[in-house]
Amino acid sequence: MTFTHPQGTRGARQPRGPVLAWINRRMASRIRRKGGRAGGGDAIVLTTIGRKSGQERPVPVASFPSDDGGWFVVASAAGAANNPAWYLNLAAHPDRVTVETAGEKLAVSATELHGAERAAAWEQITATAPGFAGYAQKTDRELPVILLTRR
């Protein structure tokens, strides 16, 4: 399946700005060295390739283990009406992605989940991190669930 890019018509204010960029850089540095937790899941640094710039774009995100050794990530943007930029970058370059945590860097491929696969992953994610269910209630878009698998 492909990435669907659905946008919503309502939602929370999407986090952005220089303070968030500074926090993300600090978090990414720490996650790369020591690992950590974020949003109820294991923190990873997800590095995508900018769909317009072609440059690497690292962002710290919460991840949840999949049964096959991969990771689930949710493009929640804290319940905003629009998808986060990293989701659009994944859609443009799903095979040019890396995951970093605790001194390990791995090349991965990204696949958006749909239907029963998404429902099963969503149930696992919200059982572990109920805050994501709260994000889903803030917006009318379906929050994309992405599976990252090692290449």
Side-chain angles (χ1 to χ4, degrees), residues 19-119:
V19 173
L20 181 64
W22 179 82
I23 291 169
N24 281 347
R25 283 192 304 274
R26 301 263 316 182
M27 284 180 62
S29 177
R30 184 176 192 279
I31 293 165
R32 285 180 175 121
R33 286 189 327 268
K34 299 179 182 180
R37 306 267 306 157
D42 292 328
I44 61 172
V45 177
L46 177 69
T47 301
T48 61
I49 301 298
R51 68 191 186 285
K52 295 178 185 175
S53 70
Q55 297 193 10
E56 288 189 350
R57 301 291 184 198
V59 62
V61 296
S63 70
F64 305 88
S66 70
D67 291 337
D68 63 357
W71 301 266
F72 297 121
V73 293
V74 181
S76 66
N82 296 324
N83 290 309
W86 64 258
Y87 169 84
L88 301 173
N89 293 341
L90 280 179
H93 306 287
D95 291 325
R96 295 182 62 197
V97 183
T98 61
V99 166
E100 294 176 80
T101 186
E104 187 176 24
K105 184 174 184 175
L106 302 165
V108 297
S109 293
T111 306
E112 183 174 351
L113 301 180
H114 300 280
E117 283 183 312
R118 184 203 178 275

Side-chain angles (χ1 to χ4, degrees), residues 116-137:
E117 283 183 312
R118 184 203 178 275
W122 183 249
E123 186 174 318
Q124 176 188 332
I125 291 164
T126 55
T128 304
F132 281 94
Y135 292 153
Q137 292 178 347

